Each structure stands twice: as structure tokens, then as C-alpha cells.
């Protein structure tokens, strides 16, 4: 009986040590999240220059935060309705090495973020033809993985689509689709298109609510 009591006590002690080790890690993670959100809030509240050469305090600026690569630290998405297509109306910013860092911008036909460890970002531009780009975000930088191109017929049906890798080498459709499907696995999808209706106007009320 004493043997079992001793074993039970050892288990309880080990569990207590484990809990003590986990709690500081969780506390540190929560603290970093709060620091990041505070930095984003200050960045949006102050007059800071954006990728579009406009300012955070200008009218027409919207924002939202999403953890794009599921690392526990959210990225800041900013929409500028006054930006040109060349500049891109939607941009990604992140908090890295104690600073807010610009990552990439997109003309806002359609941008889809697949929030998982791969950090897949799909952007699409449609004019006379069709151009789609698949990129992966690692928390610090973003890299092109695949692109796809095609055109639309008079019934707006997609024709002659082709897939290319990052080196602009054509690859088989089924291989590209399979690879892209793996990048999307277990992801939570956030799609943003013209007008950025699922983003929030940059004002004090929204910064307090969402940051």
C-alpha cells in the first residue's frame, strides 16, 4: 500500500512541475500577443506613412488582424481605398524583431488567406485575361510558389489555364493542383475583395474593439 501511495505522490509532484513549466510559456505567449496588438493599435492611431504613400490617419483606411501562418502572432492587414492598382489596395504588415514590417501588397480583385502553418496567400487579377498567384508566408517574408494564367471566353468561362512554378517553368495541372491542395490543408479561409467589407474603418472605436 505504501508503495502505491509513494508512486501516486511522485506522479502528483511531476504533474505539478509540468504545470509550472507550461504556465510561464503560456504567459509569455499571451504577453507577446498583447504587445503586438498594442503596437498595431499605436501604429494605426499615429500618423504613419503606408506603402501607398498615404497615411494611417487618412480617410479610407481599414484594418483587421489575422494570424496568417498560425504561429500565434497576428498579422495586420491594411486596406487603402485611395491606393492605385499598381500600389495595391491591400497590404500585409507583421511585427518582427520589435518593429512593424511591411510584407506585401495586392490589387484588390480578390485575395484569399489560408490560415495554417503554411501561410498560403492566393491573389487574383482579372482584366482581359486571368492571373492568379499562390504564395507562402513564414512570419517574416513571403515567397511565390505557383502562378496560374488563362483567359475568359464570351460566357466568362475560364479557358486555357496553365500553372507555373516560382521559376516560371510550366508544370502539369494535376501536379500543381495537388501541391496547392496540400498547402490549403486544415486552413481557415479569409477572403477579401473589392471594398474590403469584412475589414474595419480605422477609428478609435474599432481600434479599441478589435485590437
Amino acid at each position: 500500500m505504501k508503495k502505491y501511495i509513494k508512486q501516486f505522490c511522485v506522479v502528483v509532484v511531476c504533474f505539478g512541475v509540468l504545470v509550472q513549466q507550461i504556465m510561464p510559456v503560456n504567459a509569455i505567449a499571451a504577453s507577446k500577443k498583447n504587445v503586438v496588438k498594442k503596437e498595431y493599435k499605436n501604429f494605426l492611431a499615429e500618423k504613419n506613412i503606408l506603402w501607398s504613400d498615404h497615411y494611417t490617419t487618412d480617410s479610407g483606411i481599414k484594418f483587421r488582424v489575422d494570424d496568417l501562418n498560425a504561429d500565434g502572432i497576428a498579422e495586420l492587414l491594411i486596406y487603402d481605398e485611395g491606393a492605385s492598382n499598381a500600389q495595391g489596395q491591400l497590404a500585409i504588415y507583421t511585427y518582427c524583431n520589435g518593429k512593424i514590417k511591411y510584407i506585401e501588397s495586392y490589387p484588390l480583385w480578390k485575395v484569399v488567406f489560408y490560415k495554417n502553418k503554411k501561410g498560403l496567400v492566393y491573389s487574383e487579377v482579372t482584366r482581359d485575361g486571368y492571373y492568379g498567384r499562390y504564395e507562402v508566408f513564414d512570419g517574416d517574408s513571403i515567397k511565390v510558389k505557383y502562378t496560374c494564367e488563362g483567359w475568359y471566353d464570351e460566357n466568362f468561362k475560364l479557358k486555357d489555364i496553365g500553372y507555373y512554378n516560382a521559376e516560371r517553368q510550366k508544370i502539369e495541372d494535376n501536379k500543381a493542383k495537388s501541391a496547392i491542395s496540400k498547402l490549403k490543408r486544415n486552413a481557415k479561409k479569409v477572403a477579401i475583395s473589392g471594398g474590403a467589407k469584412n475589414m474595419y474603418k480605422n477609428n478609435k472605436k474599432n481600434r479599441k474593439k478589435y485590437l
Side-chain angles (χ1 to χ4, degrees):
M1 185 66 178
K2 290 182 179 179
K3 179 181 177 181
Y4 291 120
I5 292 174
K6 185 177 181 180
Q7 289 176 341
F8 177 76
C9 290
V10 170
V11 170
V12 170
V13 170
C14 290
F15 180 74
V17 171
L18 181 63
V19 169
Q20 288 179 338
Q21 289 176 338
I22 291 173
M23 286 178 68
V25 172
N26 289 341
I28 291 169
S31 176
K32 187 172 182 180
K33 286 181 182 180
N34 291 335
V35 168
V36 171
K37 286 192 173 183
K38 184 177 179 181
E39 290 294 327
Y40 289 159
K41 183 185 289 187
N42 292 339
F43 179 75
L44 291 169
E46 297 166 359
K47 188 176 181 179
N48 286 298
I49 191 72
L50 295 170
W51 81 99
S52 58
D53 295 327
H54 296 151
Y55 291 93
T56 49
T57 52
D58 290 347
S59 62
I61 302 297
K62 294 183 178 181
F63 74 93
R64 67 176 286 153
V65 289
D66 281 292
D67 185 359
L68 302 183
N69 63 322
D71 64 351
I73 302 299
E75 277 64 51
L76 175 64
L77 305 179
I78 299 180
Y79 167 77
D80 180 359
E81 70 175 10
S84 66
N85 287 331
Q87 294 169 322
Q89 293 85 18
L90 180 68
I92 303 171
Y93 284 79
T94 194
Y95 187 76
C96 183
N97 297 323
K99 295 181 180 180
I100 293 176
K101 177 183 177 181
Y102 163 77
I103 298 295
E104 182 65 281
S105 62
Y106 305 91
L108 200 51
W109 269 262
K110 182 181 179 181
V111 181
V112 183
F113 299 98
Y114 293 88
K115 301 191 298 179
N116 60 14
K117 293 292 184 181
K118 301 296 183 181
L120 179 65
V121 181
Y122 171 72
S123 57
E124 178 182 303
V125 174
T126 305
R127 287 178 177 166
D128 296 331
Y130 165 93
Y131 176 79
R133 186 169 63 184
Y134 296 89
E135 301 169 291
V136 289
F137 172 66
D138 64 6
D140 179 58
S141 61
I142 197 163
K143 295 179 180 178
V144 176
K145 293 291 287 184
Y146 304 99
T147 59
C148 54
E149 300 174 18
W151 57 279
Y152 289 95
D153 64 16
E154 62 276 10
N155 297 314
F156 211 67
K157 289 184 178 180
L158 189 61
K159 299 290 185 180
D160 294 335
I161 190 168
Y163 286 89
Y164 302 83
N165 62 19
E167 288 73 40
R168 290 293 300 162
Q169 298 169 330
K170 199 171 190 311
I171 54 178
E172 295 178 16
D173 287 7
N174 60 339
K175 289 184 178 180
K177 289 177 180 178
S178 176
I180 292 167
S181 179
K182 289 177 181 178
L183 291 173
K184 294 179 180 179
R185 191 171 294 164
N186 299 321
K188 294 181 179 179
K189 187 170 73 171
V190 173
I192 301 175
S193 55
K197 294 179 181 178
N198 53 347
M199 298 181 70
Y200 316 109
K201 289 183 179 181
N202 182 26
N203 56 42
K204 187 176 181 179
K205 179 181 177 181
N206 285 335
R207 289 193 298 270
K208 183 177 181 180
K209 183 176 181 179
Y210 297 106
L211 293 171

